[in-house]
Amino acid sequence: MSWSNGRFGYNNGPIKGQNGFIICPKLNYMLLLLLFSSQPFFCYQDCNSSLLGWDVFKYLSLANVRLFKRTKSNTIVLTGLSGSGKTTLFYQLRDGSSHLGTVTSMDPNEGTFVLNSEMTKKGKIKPVHLVDVPGHSRLRPKLDEFLPLAAGIVFVVDALEFLPNCRAASEYLYDILTKSSVVKKKIPVLILCNKTDKVTAHTKEFIRKQLEKEIEKFRASRSAISAADVVNEFTLGVPGEAFAFSQCHNKVTVADSSGLTGEIAQLEEFIREYIKP
C-alpha cells in the first residue's frame, strides 16, 4: 500500500493549517479508516513512520482538535434599568472619565479595549469587549443579541433610587436569570449596586435581600402559568424554600460601585475573574 501515487485524491505533502499546525491529509484519511475498520494498519513510505494506527489517531487528536478549539469569550454585558448608571460605568472602564455625569443611551455602546486602570501595566494584556445595553423596556430585545457571547453579565442597580424601582429591576433580573442562553452556559452575573457614594444610597445587603423577596413573588406567579405558555424559560430556586441567589444555576454575586467618583474596583475584579489578562 503506497500513498505516493495520489490515488486517494490527496497531496503528497503536508498542509499548513491555522495556528501553524501541520496537517497531513494522508493521516486524516487514515483516521477515517480507523473509524470504519477494526483492523490495525501501519503508515507507510511518505509518512516516514511505522506508527500504529492508534498512534496516528493520537497525532490527529493533538494536531487537529486544537484547530477547532473555541476561543474563550472576552465579552462583558452591562445591563439594567434606565438611569442606573451603566453608560457612566462604561466610560469609567474605558477611559477613566464619567463624561460629566448622567448619560442616556438609546443604542448599545460597544467597544473593545484594555481597562483604563491597566493602561500603565507592562506586558500583554487581554482587551475586554464591553457592551452597554440600553435599559429602556422597548430596547431590551437587543440584549438577546449579546447574551450568547457573554463571559459575564453586570446587572446595574441604582442604589439611590432603588425602592421605587425594586419591582421593575427584579422582574428584569428574573427574566435574565431564566433565559436559556444564560442558564445553559452558566454565565456569571454581578449585581452591581451603583451610586453608593451618596449618603442616602441603600447598602448592597439590603438590595440583595429585597431583590430576592421580589423574585420569590415572580417565581410563585410564573409557576402558576401553564408550561405551554412559557418558552425557553428555566425555573429558579428550590421548591418549598424561599428564593436566594445562591440557588441559581449560575454564580450570582453582589458588589458596590460609584460611576461618578470612579469607585469601580469590584467591577474590574469581576471582569478580570472571567476574562484573564
Side-chain angles (χ1 to χ4, degrees), residues 27 31 34-35 52-63:
L27 295 181
L31 175 60
L34 275 172
L35 294 175
L52 284 171
W54 285 114
D55 292 320
V56 176
F57 180 83
K58 293 176 186 177
Y59 168 86
L60 290 171
S61 298
L62 292 173

Side-chain angles (χ1 to χ4, degrees), residues 23-235:
I23 306 171
C24 180
K26 301 163 190 175
L27 295 181
N28 285 330
Y29 179 80
M30 292 171 68
L31 175 60
L32 295 177
L33 294 181
L34 275 172
L35 294 175
F36 294 101
S37 173
S38 60
Q39 299 298 321
F41 59 95
F42 290 83
C43 179
Y44 293 94
Q45 293 186 9
D46 294 343
C47 290
N48 295 319
S49 173
S50 59
L51 297 174
L52 284 171
W54 285 114
D55 292 320
V56 176
F57 180 83
K58 293 176 186 177
Y59 168 86
L60 290 171
S61 298
L62 292 173
N64 288 351
V65 168
R66 191 167 168 181
L67 292 176
F68 303 100
K69 187 178 180 180
R70 295 166 63 182
T71 304
K72 288 186 177 180
S73 171
N74 68 331
T75 298
I76 295 292
V77 175
L78 288 173
T79 189
L81 299 181
S82 295
S84 58
K86 300 182 300 299
T87 304
T88 301
L89 290 167
F90 178 94
Y91 290 133
Q92 282 286 7
L93 290 167
R94 191 186 70 179
D95 52 37
S97 170
S98 64
H99 280 233
L100 301 178
T102 302
V103 180
T104 301
S105 56
M106 297 302 289
D107 293 306
N109 281 328
E110 189 174 356
T112 302
F113 48 83
V114 173
L115 300 180
N116 181 73
S117 62
E118 300 174 336
M119 293 295 288
T120 58
K121 290 185 178 180
K122 295 181 180 180
K124 188 176 181 181
I125 301 175
K126 187 174 183 178
V128 176
H129 180 218
L130 193 64
V131 182
D132 161 28
V133 181
H136 195 282
S137 58
R138 289 182 300 174
L139 302 175
R140 287 180 196 169
K142 291 180 179 291
L143 181 66
D144 293 328
E145 300 176 16
F146 299 103
L147 286 183
L149 308 174
I153 301 168
V154 179
F155 187 84
V156 184
V157 176
D158 185 340
L160 192 61
E161 299 293 334
F162 172 68
L163 287 178
N165 299 306
C166 179
R167 182 174 177 79
S170 301
E171 184 175 17
Y172 189 14
L173 181 57
Y174 177 93
D175 290 339
I176 291 174
L177 293 175
T178 53
K179 285 185 179 292
S180 61
S181 58
V182 174
V183 176
K184 290 180 179 179
K185 294 181 63 178
K186 295 185 177 180
I187 301 175
V189 175
L190 174 68
I191 301 172
L192 189 65
C193 306
N194 194 30
K195 308 180 184 180
T196 53
D197 57 300
K198 304 298 182 182
V199 177
T200 55
H202 296 284
T203 65
K204 65 180 181 181
E205 289 79 13
F206 175 81
I207 291 174
R208 176 185 60 79
K209 291 179 180 178
Q210 293 303 311
L211 288 173
E212 288 177 336
K213 288 180 181 178
E214 285 297 320
I215 288 178
E216 171 64 21
K217 296 176 184 177
F218 284 113
R219 189 178 70 144
S221 61
R222 298 287 180 95
S223 63
I225 300 175
S226 169
D229 297 328
V230 181
V231 180
N232 294 330
E233 186 178 79
F234 287 77
T235 57

